[in-house]
Amino acid sequence: MAGIVVSALVLYWPYLVILALTFELLRPHFQKKKTRAFPDLKAKKVTDVYEKRKEAADDSDNEGDDGDDDEYKPPIAPDVPFVPYTAPRYSEKEMLERSQAFFEEMNQRRTIRFYSDRPVPMEVMESIIRTAGTSPSGAHTEPWTYVVLKEDIRAIVEAEEEINYTKRMAGQWTADLKFVRTEWTKPYLTEAPYIVLLFKQVYGLMPRGRKKNHYYNEISCSISCGLFLAAVHHAGLATLTSTPMNCGPALRQLLNRPENEKLLLLLPVGYPSDDAMVPGIGRKPLDEIMVSY
Amino acid sequence: MAGIVVSALVLYWPYLVILALTFELLRPHFQKKKTRAFPDLKAKKVTDVYEKRKEAADDSDNEGDDGDDDEYKPPIAPDVPFVPYTAPRYSEKEMLERSQAFFEEMNQRRTIRFYSDRPVPMEVMESIIRTAGTSPSGAHTEPWTYVVLKEDIRAIVEAEEEINYTKRMAGQWTADLKFVRTEWTKPYLTEAPYIVLLFKQVYGLMPRGRKKNHYYNEISCSISCGLFLAAVHHAGLATLTSTPMNCGPALRQLLNRPENEKLLLLLPVGYPSDDAMVPGIGRKPLDEIMVSY
């Protein structure tokens, strides 16, 4: 029986890797010991609302098959109750103003390589990472670990970057990056008050050592990073989305991270320096990124 | 010579796929015809600031090698001038308040499957997609196309989803998703006023038919999606990050999208219905997603 499951997993893994962001939520509700970070939704039974809207193709998922597929025990209880969605709604006028103002705010964000060493309160970092943690994820697996460093990792990163720049990167790539005028040295790694390493959890661990599938973990972590960027910028701070090529293994070992975590992004966070400069480039206009039918 | 380039690309492609988010910006500055979406940064020459901070390992990138690597002509001019970074900075107190308030706002967001058919002004969609377009991307390739549909694609998606649910998805996956209580039918595809398809451009097209490398295009598009989600929620609307498994080819054909675009996400956008419900699940607390050293 386990053999069938394993061979099905082997056979169908590409499909596994493709549908789960369709669905988004949750975790074992039986883990009630900790305060959850959701706003105060009052749980109530799944009501008429859901029943009325119950989608077709009923496979009688509520009755009697908990025993059936015991080997497919899900991390989140299938009978978790539904609650009303209570986020604020705005008038059309307010919505227009808010959406425009938010664009203008986010449009001021730039990737920054020049940081002040002025300290940033840890509470701010915590709010930023909490915000990143509000991201949706495949089957609500929340496959991200944000590691906040004060420790110096510059030597490790620069050692790899020197090899990257001089040996590993193809000509086209270094040509494409000339406008940024970066080299293998990374002064921001010692200037910025915080370095954040975003690890994607390529699988999760469940009780009794079972592995939990982390569907779409890279996409999920990257979406979470988008919320992280918005939060950093909204706080008046700056960051840089960098991919520390080939540094993952050395950093994982240094930080003693578990083997299900793979380094995805390195994000310095701090105040931009007073003399911070950015390439004077623009962004694609709307008609190059949006198409209507 | 071209052979060497091609074989280097073949040999080093995994490395190509790994460093470029380190760098982020831009596009051919010679494309001046359109209004750029950046705030009013006044371009000025690269000044003392940059020279003073000029990083080590100088490879004399400004002089005389434009001719050298003509076959590596970059999409963005290497001598694009730098400009000061002028985003607002806040007092420590303001920063703490802003970061906390932004978390609380974003924490109200949930993935929604129940939409009102009430119309949403196209201007709001435009601001939301403009916001998504402020995302950083590998070597500033901006590899995203947001396709906004009013057209009905429900039949296409449901036809694939029926096969996905009944044949393609492994037992563990359907078990993991039971708490969401979805089926292959997707009423939101006809209820929501807009369906947005996010296509990743796996490569770009340059003049004379040359292909442009889109480093980290999936990560870049997913980060952009994070900003899209923040903008949707800030406007008082709702969305759902869904991955329309196996629907990409049919939808690309229907919409006549170019072959460098691959479907990444399907995002309905609209007002949540008055009776919208969500699973009563929580999010991981901070100490499960953040680690400090």
Side-chain angles (χ1 to χ4, degrees):
Chain A
M1 201 57 190
I4 293 170
V5 177
V6 170
S7 65
L9 283 175
V10 169
L11 201 59
Y12 293 118
W13 71 265
Y15 302 111
L16 284 178
V17 184
I18 318 181
L19 190 233
L21 263 193
T22 306
F23 318 95
E24 189 236 27
L25 320 160
L26 113 81
R27 324 184 59 226
H29 214 235
F30 38 81
Q31 288 193 353
K32 281 181 183 151
K33 55 192 190 322
K34 306 211 172 174
T35 312
R36 314 300 298 185
F38 266 130
D40 57 334
L41 296 172
K42 278 180 204 141
K44 62 177 192 183
K45 291 234 164 69
V46 182
T47 62
D48 306 346
V49 176
Y50 195 84
E51 290 305 316
K52 215 162 51 192
R53 290 170 157 276
K54 197 165 186 307
E55 298 169 46
D58 191 323
D59 66 358
S60 61
D61 57 0
N62 287 321
E63 314 287 337
D65 58 358
D66 263 324
D68 266 335
D69 50 15
D70 188 49
E71 59 186 316
Y72 297 131
K73 196 161 174 22
I76 299 171
D79 60 353
V80 63
F82 273 54
V83 296
Y85 178 63
T86 57
R89 302 175 198 194
Y90 306 105
S91 72
E92 197 166 290
K93 182 166 171 293
E94 285 173 310
M95 183 185 293
L96 281 162
E97 287 167 1
R98 289 174 65 88
S99 64
Q100 178 62 23
F102 191 67
F103 160 66
E104 278 163 15
E105 185 191 348
M106 288 298 131
N107 195 34
Q108 294 186 300
R109 188 201 58 78
R110 294 291 304 264
T111 286
I112 296 297
R113 290 184 172 74
F114 303 125
Y115 291 87
S116 158
D117 61 2
R118 187 174 151 197
V120 169
M122 184 55 102
E123 293 91 321
V124 173
M125 288 304 298
E126 290 175 354
S127 288
I128 290 168
I129 291 170
R130 276 198 178 96
T131 306
T134 67
S135 179
S137 56
H140 198 53
T141 46
E142 302 173 279
W144 38 72
T145 307
Y146 286 86
V147 175
V148 180
L149 298 178
K150 293 182 177 178
E151 202 163 341
D152 182 3
I153 58 165
R154 183 169 168 180
I156 292 175
V157 175
E158 289 188 345
E160 291 297 333
E161 284 289 80
E162 182 171 12
I163 306 172
N164 295 335
Y165 270 78
T166 55
K167 302 210 171 85
R168 293 179 182 135
M169 291 163 69
Q172 184 65 55
W173 199 359
T174 49
D176 286 358
L177 288 169
K178 277 202 171 158
F179 76 95
V180 191
R181 283 164 235 174
T182 50
E183 302 294 345
W184 57 267
T185 55
K186 308 288 172 194
Y188 56 78
L189 290 175
T190 39
E191 285 172 358
Y194 296 109
I195 301 295
V196 177
L197 300 177
L198 170 51
F199 287 89
K200 59 181 181 184
Q201 299 163 5
V202 294
Y203 57 86
L205 295 169
M206 309 234 315
R208 289 177 293 163
R210 285 170 54 223
K211 289 184 181 180
K212 184 171 70 157
N213 285 319
H214 277 183
Y215 314 99
Y216 304 104
N217 60 79
E218 185 164 298
I219 294 175
S220 301
C221 286
S222 302
I223 293 174
S224 170
C225 175
L227 293 166
F228 179 94
L229 297 186
V232 165
H233 181 68
H234 188 75
L237 294 172
T239 187
L240 156 69
T241 43
S242 76
T243 47
M245 183 161 80
N246 298 312
C247 300
L251 292 176
R252 263 190 56 219
Q253 191 171 27
L254 174 76
L255 303 169
N256 201 24
R257 300 308 307 161
E259 68 173 16
N260 64 331
E261 292 184 357
K262 304 286 178 204
L263 186 58
L264 182 65
L265 290 163
L266 183 159
L267 305 133
V269 177
Y271 295 90
S273 68
D274 290 335
D275 57 5
M277 303 278 280
V278 291
I281 53 171
R283 292 189 173 118
K284 288 182 180 174
L286 186 64
D287 65 1
E288 284 185 27
I289 67 170
M290 171 172 161
V291 182
S292 298
Y293 287 85
Chain B
M1 200 58 191
I4 293 170
V5 177
V6 170
S7 65
L9 284 174
V10 168
L11 202 60
Y12 294 119
W13 72 265
Y15 302 112
L16 284 178
V17 183
I18 315 180
L19 192 236
L21 263 193
T22 305
F23 317 96
E24 190 234 30
L25 320 160
L26 103 93
R27 318 185 64 224
H29 214 236
F30 37 82
Q31 289 194 353
K32 282 182 182 145
K33 54 193 191 322
K34 306 214 175 174
T35 311
R36 314 300 298 184
F38 266 130
D40 57 334
L41 295 172
K42 280 179 204 139
K44 62 177 194 184
K45 292 236 165 70
V46 183
T47 62
D48 308 346
V49 176
Y50 194 84
E51 290 305 316
K52 215 162 53 191
R53 290 170 157 276
K54 198 166 185 305
E55 297 170 45
D58 191 323
D59 66 357
S60 61
D61 56 0
N62 287 320
E63 313 287 338
D65 58 358
D66 264 324
D68 266 334
D69 50 14
D70 189 48
E71 57 187 317
Y72 297 131
K73 195 158 174 23
I76 298 171
D79 60 352
V80 63
F82 272 54
V83 295
Y85 178 63
T86 57
R89 303 175 197 194
Y90 307 104
S91 72
E92 197 166 290
K93 181 166 170 295
E94 284 173 310
M95 183 186 292
L96 282 162
E97 286 168 0
R98 288 174 65 87
S99 64
Q100 178 62 22
F102 191 67
F103 161 65
E104 278 163 14
E105 185 190 349
M106 288 299 130
N107 195 34
Q108 293 185 301
R109 188 201 57 78
R110 294 292 303 265
T111 286
I112 295 297
R113 290 185 172 74
F114 303 125
Y115 292 87
S116 159
D117 60 3
R118 188 174 150 197
V120 170
M122 184 54 104
E123 293 90 321
V124 173
M125 288 304 298
E126 290 176 354
S127 290
I128 289 168
I129 292 171
R130 278 198 176 95
T131 306
T134 67
S135 179
S137 55
H140 198 53
T141 46
E142 302 173 278
W144 37 72
T145 307
Y146 286 86
V147 176
V148 180
L149 298 178
K150 293 180 178 182
E151 202 162 342
D152 183 3
I153 58 166
R154 183 169 168 179
I156 292 175
V157 175
E158 288 188 344
E160 292 296 333
E161 284 289 82
E162 182 171 12
I163 305 172
N164 294 335
Y165 270 78
T166 55
K167 302 209 171 85
R168 294 178 181 136
M169 292 162 70
Q172 183 64 56
W173 198 0
T174 49
D176 286 358
L177 288 170
K178 278 203 172 159
F179 76 95
V180 191
R181 283 164 235 175
T182 50
E183 302 293 346
W184 57 266
T185 55
K186 308 288 172 194
Y188 55 77
L189 289 175
T190 38
E191 286 172 358
Y194 297 109
I195 300 296
V196 177
L197 299 176
L198 170 50
F199 287 88
K200 60 180 181 185
Q201 299 163 4
V202 295
Y203 57 88
L205 294 170
M206 310 236 313
R208 289 177 294 164
R210 286 171 54 224
K211 288 185 181 181
K212 184 171 71 159
N213 286 319
H214 277 183
Y215 312 99
Y216 304 103
N217 61 78
E218 184 163 299
I219 294 175
S220 301
C221 287
S222 302
I223 293 174
S224 170
C225 175
L227 293 166
F228 179 94
L229 296 187
V232 166
H233 181 68
H234 187 75
L237 294 171
T239 185
L240 157 68
T241 43
S242 77
T243 47
M245 184 160 81
N246 298 312
C247 299
L251 292 176
R252 263 191 53 219
Q253 193 172 27
L254 174 75
L255 304 168
N256 201 24
R257 299 308 308 161
E259 68 172 16
N260 65 332
E261 292 184 357
K262 305 286 177 204
L263 185 58
L264 182 64
L265 290 163
L266 183 160
L267 305 134
V269 177
Y271 295 90
S273 68
D274 291 334
D275 58 4
M277 302 278 279
V278 291
I281 52 170
R283 293 187 173 119
K284 288 182 180 175
L286 187 63
D287 65 0
E288 285 185 27
I289 66 170
M290 171 172 162
V291 181
S292 299
Y293 287 86

